[in-house]
Amino acid sequence: MDKKNIDWSNLGFGYVQTEKRFVSNFKDGKWDDGQLTDDATVVISECAGVLQYAQTCFEGMKAYTTEDGRVVIFRPDLNAKRMEDSAKRLEMPVFPQDRFVKAIEETVKANLDYVPPYGSGATLYIRPYMFGSSSVIGVKPAEEYQFRVFTTPVGPYFKGGAKPITIKVSDFDRAAPHGTGHIKAGLNYAMSLHAIVTAHAEGFDENMYLDAATRTKVEETGGANFIFVTKDNTVVTPKSNSILPSITRRSLMYVAEHYLGLKVEEREVYFDEVKDFAECGLCGTAAVISPVGKINDHGKEICFPSGMEEMGPITKKLYDTLTGIQMGRIEAPEGWLYEIK
């Protein structure tokens, strides 16, 4: 296929409608075969479960053009497993993992001419999602569901490189200890909107959420996990049952240990020790790593030695290695890159 006539180098991080999307419906206790469609609209009852009680979950991943011209998706099997966990927690029917990966493949293949070329800095973002589609007026799970996948080409999250950001310690709680913080439910993101709008209005880029039970331990931001680097170059990430198991974070920790030979720790991180770290970053699909230069704790600033000008040295190595793997410049661990043929 010929690439679309898109100015890839100036593409923003937003929605651009592509030609095909995948749709499958759950009815009478089973999923249908699903199909690709040109129709980008969703038609549901005004009383649909998703509209009344926010019964929905989603995933996010990217397709890349590698240095040698292949189109690959990064670890879609982990997204399939995470969506299964989300569906079970929200009393939704599981879309089988093998069918999930196949649906992703079909959708990307149908939109190959929207996959940005290697070296443009752009990628094809993939959004699988599921929602309760049948009418529900009493508080209970819907009986019918729809699973969909759409794609959109996106530019780099940071134009001109990732400059360190300033975040604040939030007074809001992101997730309860036995709530839904560990799944990718739409409701988690809806409740974070007020906190992020408030942070932006106060001049900050993001929030640091502490654990709701004691407010002494670092959890995550509204849409990304934390990674820290100690002064002796140990890579540390918070451990909690109420944070989302980020695929990017898990991949970065593997890269740190097996590619860079660094010591890694997944453990509870107390806020009191944050001031002693050398580097801090937020990790997720969209940006891979967003370096953090400063944290504002109700007027008291924590400034990391890595500074406000560029990524810290270890964070930069992690970023360069993982993006090198994703783009095919560095050999990937077996199974990490799913090739579209």
Side-chain angles (χ1 to χ4, degrees), residues 57-186:
C57 59
F58 68 98
E59 281 295 325
M61 65 197 83
K62 290 178 177 178
Y64 310 82
T65 301
T66 62
E67 191 172 36
D68 59 4
R70 295 175 296 144
V71 174
V72 300
I73 307 169
F74 187 67
R75 309 190 77 178
D77 56 314
L78 297 187
N79 293 95
K81 174 62 171 68
R82 193 167 64 181
M83 186 168 235
E84 177 179 312
D85 294 340
S86 296
K88 287 178 177 177
R89 179 64 176 81
L90 295 173
E91 289 297 330
M92 302 168 78
V94 170
F95 195 76
Q97 291 186 37
D98 57 338
R99 290 194 58 194
F100 177 100
V101 174
K102 188 67 177 175
I104 300 302
E105 179 181 18
E106 286 182 23
T107 309
V108 172
K109 191 178 289 187
N111 295 292
L112 272 181
D113 47 349
Y114 288 94
V115 181
Y118 174 79
S120 64
T123 54
L124 185 73
Y125 190 84
I126 308 163
R127 171 54 58 86
Y129 60 112
M130 187 194 303
F131 55 88
S133 55
S134 59
S135 58
V136 180
I137 198 65
V139 181
K140 61 181 180 180
E143 294 182 355
E144 298 175 9
Y145 296 84
Q146 193 166 102
F147 170 81
R148 299 178 70 100
V149 182
F150 70 81
T151 60
T152 181
V154 295
Y157 200 74
F158 296 108
K159 294 279 188 186
K163 291 290 185 182
I165 61 175
T166 302
I167 66 177
K168 64 169 287 191
V169 177
S170 181
D171 290 324
F172 297 101
D173 293 326
R174 178 189 162 272
H178 301 287
T180 57
H182 63 294
I183 63 169
K184 209 163 175 68

Side-chain angles (χ1 to χ4, degrees), residues 38-293:
D38 298 330
D39 190 355
T41 60
V42 177
V43 180
I44 51 176
S45 165
E46 63 183 350
C47 196
V50 61
L51 301 178
Q52 303 308 315
Y53 303 118
Q55 200 181 14
T56 180
C57 59
F58 68 98
E59 281 295 325
M61 65 197 83
K62 290 178 177 178
Y64 310 82
T65 301
T66 62
E67 191 172 36
D68 59 4
R70 295 175 296 144
V71 174
V72 300
I73 307 169
F74 187 67
R75 309 190 77 178
D77 56 314
L78 297 187
N79 293 95
K81 174 62 171 68
R82 193 167 64 181
M83 186 168 235
E84 177 179 312
D85 294 340
S86 296
K88 287 178 177 177
R89 179 64 176 81
L90 295 173
E91 289 297 330
M92 302 168 78
V94 170
F95 195 76
Q97 291 186 37
D98 57 338
R99 290 194 58 194
F100 177 100
V101 174
K102 188 67 177 175
I104 300 302
E105 179 181 18
E106 286 182 23
T107 309
V108 172
K109 191 178 289 187
N111 295 292
L112 272 181
D113 47 349
Y114 288 94
V115 181
Y118 174 79
S120 64
T123 54
L124 185 73
Y125 190 84
I126 308 163
R127 171 54 58 86
Y129 60 112
M130 187 194 303
F131 55 88
S133 55
S134 59
S135 58
V136 180
I137 198 65
V139 181
K140 61 181 180 180
E143 294 182 355
E144 298 175 9
Y145 296 84
Q146 193 166 102
F147 170 81
R148 299 178 70 100
V149 182
F150 70 81
T151 60
T152 181
V154 295
Y157 200 74
F158 296 108
K159 294 279 188 186
K163 291 290 185 182
I165 61 175
T166 302
I167 66 177
K168 64 169 287 191
V169 177
S170 181
D171 290 324
F172 297 101
D173 293 326
R174 178 189 162 272
H178 301 287
T180 57
H182 63 294
I183 63 169
K184 209 163 175 68
L187 58 92
N188 292 346
Y189 297 82
M191 58 73 58
S192 74
L193 294 177
H194 178 63
I196 192 62
V197 169
T198 301
H200 288 167
E202 294 174 355
F204 301 105
D205 298 292
E206 250 294 1
N207 288 291
M208 170 182 276
Y209 290 106
L210 304 180
D211 73 292
T214 70
R215 298 196 60 79
T216 61
K217 291 174 279 192
V218 176
E219 294 252 303
E220 61 173 308
T221 69
N225 283 183
F226 277 101
I227 57 168
F228 299 100
V229 181
T230 67
K231 289 172 181 173
D232 64 357
N233 293 340
T234 297
V235 181
V236 179
T237 189
K239 183 176 184 178
S240 166
N241 291 329
S242 54
I243 63 175
L244 189 72
S246 163
I247 294 162
T248 303
R249 187 257 299 161
R250 283 179 274 175
S251 303
L252 286 167
M253 296 299 277
Y254 183 94
V255 162
E257 183 175 11
H258 298 281
Y259 280 68
L260 302 180
L262 300 172
K263 182 181 177 184
V264 299
E265 294 178 352
E266 183 182 358
R267 61 172 175 80
E268 291 184 334
V269 174
Y270 284 85
F271 181 68
D272 286 348
E273 64 180 301
V274 169
K275 66 183 184 303
D276 299 320
F277 289 122
E279 301 174 38
C280 173
L282 313 180
C283 56
T285 298
V288 182
I289 304 179
S290 309
V292 175

